[in-house]
């Protein structure tokens, strides 16, 4: 029996290498793929800002290069936002979507709070181990560039007010909105709002799960993804 495709999408400041522990838990059921969004990880930086539509273009390029006609998508955090953006603009490429810890609602107050955490000098001085981890992860553009571009992206999302109910009401694919019960970054309220707006949406709250992907119980996540994608 031919396996279906499953594409894993990383979050802001992340890279595809973060999925290394998850991929073996899914590879018996799916042809599992992952990619680095432009400027992240080993992917070259383009002469344009970080934007969700540009990351969706990265997916389209990857699918074309690997002869993938349609795929299921799991998007963590920002990756979920990109997946929903792709389904909105190029629905023929997407079978179904599961998102985890995706922040759909953005405004100036939220963006100001989040960008305050993206000060490269403070990161290097106060959390040098995190700076080293980012440097090891983002070898193409450099971690400082990725952080700077991400700050700009978050401010742009605030200007656009993120994804609202009217932005997703036309998406016909099955979409499971997942959130960890200990996620302090994403609110249950915004997740429920998007879930209710999706014509074929559903929702799942993962127990004992914070926002940080490295602390997500991967066995539990893999079980949920396999159950949802079928």
């Amino acid at each position: 029996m031919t396996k279906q495709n499953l594409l894993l999408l990383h979050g802001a400041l992340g890279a595809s290498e973060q999925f290394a522990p998850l991929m073996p838990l899914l590879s018996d059921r799916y042809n599992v793929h992952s990619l680095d969004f432009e400027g992240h990880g080993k992917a070259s930086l383009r002469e344009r800002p970080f934007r969700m539509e540009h990351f969706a273009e990265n997916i389209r390029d990857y699918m074309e290069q690997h002869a993938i006609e349609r795929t299921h998508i799991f998007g963590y955090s920002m990756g979920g936002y990109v997946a929903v953006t792709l389904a909105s603009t190029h629905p023929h490429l997407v079978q179904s979507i599961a998102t985890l810890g995706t922040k759909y609602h953005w405004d100036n107050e939220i963006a100001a709070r989040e960008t305050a955490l993206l000060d490269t000098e403070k990161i290097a001085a106060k959390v040098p181990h995190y700076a080293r981890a980012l440097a090891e992860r983002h070898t193409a553009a450099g971690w400082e560039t990725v952080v700077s571009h991400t700050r700009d992206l978050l401010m742009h999302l605030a200007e656009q007010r993120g994804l609202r109910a009217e932005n997703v009401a036309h998406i016909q694919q099955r979409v499971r909105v997942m959130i960890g019960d200990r996620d302090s970054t994403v609110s249950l309220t915004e997740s429920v709002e998007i879930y209710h707006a999706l014509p074929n949406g559903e929702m799942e709250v993962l127990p004992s799960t914070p926002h940080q992907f490295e602390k997500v119980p991967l066995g539990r996540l893999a079980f949920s993804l396999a159950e949802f994608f079928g």
Side-chain angles (χ1 to χ4, degrees):
M1 181 176 178
T2 303
K3 294 181 181 179
Q4 297 184 66
N5 295 303
L6 172 57
L7 178 61
L8 311 180
L9 302 178
H10 65 78
L13 304 185
S16 60
E17 52 90 11
Q18 291 176 283
F19 293 126
L22 177 62
M23 295 178 76
L25 304 180
L26 299 165
S27 58
D28 61 329
R29 293 173 177 261
Y30 308 99
N31 293 318
V32 185
H33 301 262
S34 63
L35 61 88
D36 290 332
F37 292 128
E38 59 186 63
H40 295 75
K42 299 178 181 179
S44 299
L45 183 70
R46 299 190 185 184
E47 294 184 359
R48 60 185 184 180
F50 284 177
R51 294 292 183 266
M52 295 301 181
E53 58 268 27
H54 296 163
F55 296 153
E57 181 183 324
N58 297 161
I59 299 174
R60 301 200 307 273
D61 291 343
Y62 180 91
M63 293 180 67
E64 181 177 354
Q65 292 165 8
H66 292 80
I68 300 173
E69 294 184 0
R70 297 186 75 209
T71 185
H72 299 291
I73 301 178
F74 166 65
Y76 163 69
S77 194
M78 182 186 75
Y81 198 116
V82 180
V84 173
T85 299
L86 181 68
S88 178
T89 58
H90 293 77
H92 62 285
L93 299 178
V94 181
Q95 288 180 261
S96 60
I97 297 172
T99 72
L100 172 62
T102 295
K103 188 158 194 61
Y104 294 99
H105 174 70
W106 288 89
D107 58 29
N108 290 333
E109 181 180 351
I110 293 171
R113 183 181 68 237
E114 295 298 320
T115 56
L117 303 174
L118 300 178
D119 185 310
T120 56
E121 292 185 0
K122 289 182 179 179
I123 292 173
K126 296 184 177 181
V127 277
H129 63 284
Y130 183 47
R132 288 193 296 270
L134 290 176
E136 293 173 359
R137 177 180 299 164
H138 301 296
T139 57
W143 76 275
E144 297 96 336
T145 298
V146 174
V147 170
S148 175
H149 277 55
T150 300
R151 284 172 57 92
D152 173 72
L153 171 63
L154 300 189
M155 296 307 297
H156 176 74
L157 290 177
E159 294 173 3
Q160 302 296 314
R161 295 177 52 222
L163 281 177
R164 301 174 299 283
E166 59 266 29
N167 301 130
V168 303
H170 66 286
I171 295 176
Q172 296 300 316
Q173 287 87 346
R174 293 175 63 230
V175 180
R176 175 176 288 187
V177 178
M178 306 167 70
I179 184 174
D181 61 349
R182 299 178 184 177
D183 194 325
S184 59
T185 300
V186 180
S187 71
L188 184 61
T189 300
E190 66 188 286
S191 301
V192 169
E193 180 182 1
I194 291 295
Y195 145 63
H196 280 157
L198 290 160
N200 293 296
E202 54 187 74
M203 187 164 184
E204 180 177 9
V205 178
L206 295 183
S208 302
T209 303
H211 184 78
Q212 186 179 353
F213 186 76
E214 284 74 14
K215 295 183 178 180
V216 172
L218 295 184
R220 180 66 176 81
L221 173 60
F223 174 84
S224 292
L225 295 178
E227 180 272 328
F228 173 66
F229 293 128

